[in-house]
Amino acid sequence: MVIACHECDLLHDLKPFPQGRIAKCTRCGAVLQRHKRNSIDRTLSFAIAGLILIVLANMFPFLALKSEGLVQETTLITGVKELYAQDMRSLAVLVFVTSILVPFIYIVGILYVVTPLKGNRVPWKLPFIFRFIQYIGPWGMMEVFMLGILVSIVKLAKMATIVPGIGLFAFVALIFVLAATHAALDPHVVWHTLE
């Protein structure tokens, strides 16, 4: 496999090397590749946990507002529906895509790629699917959505009692699990399977 140095752009013909070793550039000494321990197993377990969490985050109440004896529960999709109803359609679509659709597609894509690799099989259309999930990964902006929720909670705290639901806790955990999934995945392991 030919790989270019990220620092000096020198091309290297990288051969498979043992676990625990680091491949460095011969010209500048920058790290070209580092094996991640148990990459497939860890990525698979984080992706399964992420799938469970995304289902919980979308099925259970996110927040409940209590004011003068009235209780109003919201879910993730409720915010999208309200934005759409208030004639903010493009914002509703953006929130839906970045906080619900892209994370779901990313997790399902990771599972599609990693599950067969665990059984030493190559999934159908692996290069296309893997490039696609690497491309859409940055579009899942759940952290930005969570920041917006925290700001609105602070502003609404004076008007009503806010009760966090299971969906909120699952959503917060999902942010960390997706970050762990991305950190655990070693793309070189996936590409080496094709060779």
Side-chain angles (χ1 to χ4, degrees), residues 105-106 109-110 112-113 122-137 190-191 194:
I105 291 173
Y106 181 79
I110 290 287
Y112 177 81
V113 168
V122 177
W124 182 71
K125 295 277 191 186
L126 173 68
F128 172 75
I129 301 288
F130 193 60
R131 281 189 188 106
F132 179 71
I133 60 175
Q134 285 185 317
Y135 173 75
I136 67 162
V190 176
W191 294 123
L194 286 174

Side-chain angles (χ1 to χ4, degrees), residues 38-109:
N38 301 326
S39 175
I40 299 296
D41 294 335
R42 289 175 40 230
T43 304
L44 183 59
S45 55
F46 283 132
I48 291 169
L51 186 62
I52 293 167
L53 288 170
I54 204 163
V55 168
L56 291 175
N58 284 293
M59 297 298 292
F60 286 97
F62 204 74
L63 290 173
L65 299 171
K66 289 183 179 179
S67 179
E68 299 176 8
L70 296 173
V71 178
Q72 183 176 0
E73 289 185 339
T74 61
T75 60
L76 271 176
I77 201 71
T78 306
V80 174
K81 288 178 184 175
E82 286 300 316
L83 286 171
Y84 193 82
Q86 293 176 12
D87 208 24
M88 293 188 239
R89 292 185 178 107
S90 56
L91 185 59
V93 169
L94 184 65
V95 168
F96 175 74
V97 167
T98 58
S99 63
I100 298 172
L101 186 63
V102 168
F104 181 75
I105 291 173
Y106 181 79
I107 290 171
V108 170

Side-chain angles (χ1 to χ4, degrees), residues 49-50 52-64 74-76 142 145-146 149-150 153 162-177:
I52 293 167
L53 288 170
I54 204 163
V55 168
L56 291 175
N58 284 293
M59 297 298 292
F60 286 97
F62 204 74
L63 290 173
T74 61
T75 60
L76 271 176
M142 297 178 1
F145 184 69
M146 192 66 211
I149 290 170
L150 291 175
I153 285 174
I162 298 169
V163 180
I166 295 172
L168 179 66
F169 294 117
F171 192 78
V172 170
L174 180 61
I175 291 172
F176 290 104
V177 166

Side-chain angles (χ1 to χ4, degrees), residues 3-10 12 14 17 20-36 186 188:
I3 188 169
C5 176
H6 301 293
E7 301 295 325
C8 69
D9 292 331
L10 180 67
H12 295 274
L14 201 61
F17 57 95
R21 297 288 181 132
I22 298 173
K24 291 187 176 184
C25 177
T26 56
R27 182 189 296 165
C28 68
V31 175
L32 296 173
Q33 184 180 350
R34 174 180 289 140
H35 278 297
K36 295 181 180 177
D186 189 354
H188 300 292

